[in-house]
Structures are given as C-alpha cells and as structure tokens.
C-alpha cells in the first residue's frame, strides 16, 4: 500500500471489544485519518458483530467524517481504498 502512495497505520486489534477500543484509540492518537478499512476477519464473523460495531463507532468519534472501505480479498485492498481517497 505504501508503494501505491498511501500513508497508512496498521492497527491490529484483539477480539475483546473493550481491549480493541483501547488499541484503536492508541493507534489513532498519532494523527488525522480520512479512511479506515476493517478486515473480513472482523466484519464477516457473526461472533465479532459487537467488535465490528464498536470499531465503527469509535472510529467515527475519533475522526468525524471518516470513510470506511471494505475489500473482498487482499488483492482488492488498494481498489477499496481508492474508492474513497487518492494517495497523496
């Protein structure tokens, strides 16, 4: 993604929603974000519904106006990002 021109912050969160929120807040403390991608491992697993919901709501609170994008495979990640932002 960096080779495609995107400045990114990887934020891998634990499955516990409270712990995930703390990690997300720590990851986001370093700057402003225009788009967030939440992987299929979180958004597609029914047992992670509360985690997915928490991540969306916390991200929206931390970065008002943030856009969310979703890939269908690792290969479609850059296309998903480009739907909402252009690398700068």
């Amino acid at each position: 993604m960096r080779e495609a021109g995107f400045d990114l912050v990887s934020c891998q969160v634990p499955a516990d929603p409270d712990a995930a929120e703390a990690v997300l807040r720590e990851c986001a403390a370093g700057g402003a974000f225009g788009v967030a991608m939440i992987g299929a491992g979180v958004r597609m697993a029914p047992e992670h519904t509360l985690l997915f919901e928490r991540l969306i709501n916390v991200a929206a609170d931390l970065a008002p106006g943030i856009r969310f994008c979703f890939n269908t495979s690792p290969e479609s990640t850059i296309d998903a990002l480009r739907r909402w932002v252009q690398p700068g």
Side-chain angles (χ1 to χ4, degrees):
M1 286 187 280
R2 289 188 202 284
E3 288 179 14
F6 289 99
D7 184 22
L8 65 101
V9 172
S10 177
C11 186
Q12 296 184 10
V13 299
D16 174 72
D18 291 335
E21 178 176 342
V23 170
L24 177 56
R25 288 183 181 281
E26 185 177 310
C27 287
F33 296 88
V35 66
M37 177 174 289
I38 299 174
V42 171
R43 68 177 197 271
M44 300 298 290
E47 66 269 22
H48 293 312
T49 299
L50 294 177
L51 172 61
F52 181 48
E53 183 178 89
R54 177 80 66 95
L55 293 173
I56 292 287
N57 286 315
V58 170
D61 285 345
L62 292 172
I66 195 168
R67 298 293 185 170
F68 296 93
C69 64
F70 306 103
N71 59 0
T72 55
S73 69
E75 296 79 22
S76 69
T77 298
I78 292 173
D79 291 335
L81 290 167
R82 284 181 178 148
R83 287 194 293 267
W84 294 106
V85 295
Q86 293 302 311

